[in-house]
Amino acid sequence: MKTVGIIRNRGQLTIPDSVRKIARWASPMSAVSITIVNPGEIVIKPQSGDTDWDDIWADVKKARAIKGEGETVSAAAFLQTDRAAH
């Protein structure tokens, strides 16, 4: 099969419905590996491995819920302060 996709702003690639119907792994929030074979060819494949995304997202939610001493600490503010100190 050969079809055309469009690369939009910020490098976003829209994968046509006809491709997504065949390659069921090409769904929203799917992890993929991207390989440049040569300057004129990019290969996109499903990320291999036994990653339990439910566990990962649960850990992200736990990390976001951590509060500092008496106040909520923004991860962005923490990183900004940490980077300024180094």
Side-chain angles (χ1 to χ4, degrees), residues 25-48:
W25 55 266
S27 59
M29 299 303 295
S30 295
V32 296
S33 66
I34 301 170
T35 307
I36 296 178
V37 178
N38 61 55
E41 184 176 2
I42 299 171
V43 176
I44 302 172
K45 295 181 179 181
Q47 178 63 38
S48 60

Side-chain angles (χ1 to χ4, degrees), residues 2-82:
K2 187 173 185 176
T3 188
V4 175
I6 303 295
I7 298 176
R8 298 180 298 155
N9 294 334
R10 297 180 17 216
Q12 296 172 335
L13 172 65
T14 299
I15 299 173
D17 287 337
S18 58
V19 173
R20 286 184 281 137
K21 285 179 184 174
I22 295 169
R24 296 269 181 213
W25 55 266
S27 59
M29 299 303 295
S30 295
V32 296
S33 66
I34 301 170
T35 307
I36 296 178
V37 178
N38 61 55
E41 184 176 2
I42 299 171
V43 176
I44 302 172
K45 295 181 179 181
Q47 178 63 38
S48 60
D50 297 328
T51 304
D52 187 341
W53 289 102
D54 291 332
D55 282 347
I56 291 173
W57 284 115
D59 288 344
V60 168
K61 287 179 183 177
K62 285 180 195 174
R64 287 180 176 164
I66 295 173
K67 298 187 186 295
E69 297 177 16
E71 64 182 76
T72 302
V73 177
S74 158
F78 171 80
L79 287 173
Q80 187 175 22
T81 303
D82 184 62

